[in-house]
Amino acid sequence: MVSTAAPRVGVLALQGDVREHVRVLTDLGAEVTAVRRPAELAAIDGLVLPGGESSVIDKLSRAFGMREPVRDAIAAGMPVYGTCAGLILLADRITDGIAGQQTFGGLDVTVRRNAFGSQVDSFEVDLDVPALGEPPVHAVFIRAPLVEETGDGVERLAVLEDGRIVAVRQGALLGTSFHPEMTGEHRFHALFLDMVRDRGR
Ligand code: GLN
């Protein structure tokens, strides 16, 4: 049976650009909730980890008792999309984290925080993303991370001109170094919602 109901998705709302994600997902027809408590995870079929500050989201997730529930949801196969700080939180391994920084993990990658250095706080480029087709994605990078290593099951969805990896997918997990939610780019979120619908079948 194929469900025609709107996908139910959450945005982890501990810190970061939650509203921007809620807006894009709502525009795409999803039923969206801001998620702060473990019980709220039970009512969704997919989760977005927003951009923001990964070390703060990490600390708050532990303070709010969300770390283990989110890890359990990922382990159970819930589709999750992380942008920027959210990508860092999905990574199994990080470099240049603050002391004691943890991630939820799940994505078999090594991600370097603030990988473009302090001189380059933000920049924008047009990125070819073959999985999304034409036109290229106008990508905004803000104190962005880079994917430095990928495990066997990880698909590279986008690379910069010099080959550095900025978007990946592995099973039900999707991550981008940049912020589609800030530029009116809906295709990554649409891809994520397809992943949510596929899993629900
Ligand atoms: N530099 C931030 C971090 O380490 C990420 C920045 C962002 O999400 N735009 O979490």
Side-chain angles (χ1 to χ4, degrees), residues 149-164:
E149 288 170 358
T150 54
D152 284 344
V154 179
E155 192 184 346
R156 302 171 180 200
L157 296 181
V159 295
L160 296 174
E161 268 188 352
D162 60 11
R164 291 185 291 176

Side-chain angles (χ1 to χ4, degrees), residues 112-125:
R112 179 175 296 277
R113 276 179 77 231
N114 301 335
F116 296 92
S118 51
Q119 282 91 351
V120 186
D121 254 8
S122 68
F123 63 96
E124 305 184 16
V125 295

